[in-house]
Amino acid sequence: MPALSDVPPSHPRYASLMTREKVVEGVERGITGRNGLIAQGRGEAFDYLIGERTTAAAAEAERAAAAMLLLAERPVLSVNGNAAALVPGEMVSLAKRIGAPLEVNIFYRTEERVRRIADHLRSFGAEEVFGEEPDAAIPGLDHARAKATRGGIFDADVVFVPLEDGDRCEALVRMGKRVITVDLNPLSRTARTSTVTIVDNVVRALPNLISLVEEMAGWDGADLAGILEAYDNTAILRRSVEEVITHLARSFSPLDELSPP
Ligand code: PTJ
């Protein structure tokens, strides 16, 4: 495969190749786990199925997520190896806009990788990064995966956790937290367990969320609460699956033309 610099921006798969390259770079820098490459591959496949765009259902979930983050009393943004490789500056920027800390919270935990991710976030201007000295455990998870920090995820009322594992997502919800996730697979356990599921690529979802939070920052609390009252995550997931079906049906006709008589 050619180096990224050899791929012209006009290449039809340029954005997707750039994203892939960032995850590879994350692995080389010890920020992203090797399993992150597999997760990215799965994500790419689902992104292809939705047409590599923010669907109407995802846009609605992003609006609900922005409202939930703005209404939260103790929001925390969780960062794993893939988010750190793909959207480090955006995570820091979103954290600043809503006055939330970040917490490094990784599935395949090594202390070295936690430290590298935290340093990486600080290099993008993050002021408050938890995760290097966990002092609490999320009930119902094994030791390494349970690690959390008081004042961070452990005490949060709303946790924004892109690309989360299903077990941990369920454990956070059991603790009474509202969980916002970004997951391109609308059928995953994480997608079905979360309070708000954004079925979008994290590289599109974060800039969208930043714009929405900026737009909605001055809104009345009652208007933000109204968005959440009207929000139905199961309906959003159903619509996300329908978007895949519609997109596939539309893409199928050119294949028909190619097939031999
Ligand atoms: O850094 P760590 O140790 O915390 O590990 C992070 C990964 C993501 C490797 C770990 O949590 C994991 O194994 O996740 P899964 O179970 O593979 O789930 C990842 C989910 O994220 C899958 O449903 C993918 O479709 C989805 N996904 C992958 N890339 C993206 C994505 N969703 C949104 N944007 C992406 N770029």
Side-chain angles (χ1 to χ4, degrees), residues 156-175:
D157 58 341
V158 173
V159 187
F160 175 66
V161 54
L163 283 73
E164 180 58 307
D165 159 74
D167 264 3
R168 289 205 313 195
C169 184
E170 278 178 0
L172 291 172
V173 169
R174 267 201 311 271
M175 282 179 86

Side-chain angles (χ1 to χ4, degrees), residues 39 42-43 80-81 106-108 113 163 183-185 200-202:
R42 277 169 76 191
N80 67 12
I106 61 179
F107 188 71
Y108 300 100
R113 196 152 67 85
L163 283 73
D183 191 332
L184 278 160
N185 178 3
D200 201 358
N201 197 314
V202 81

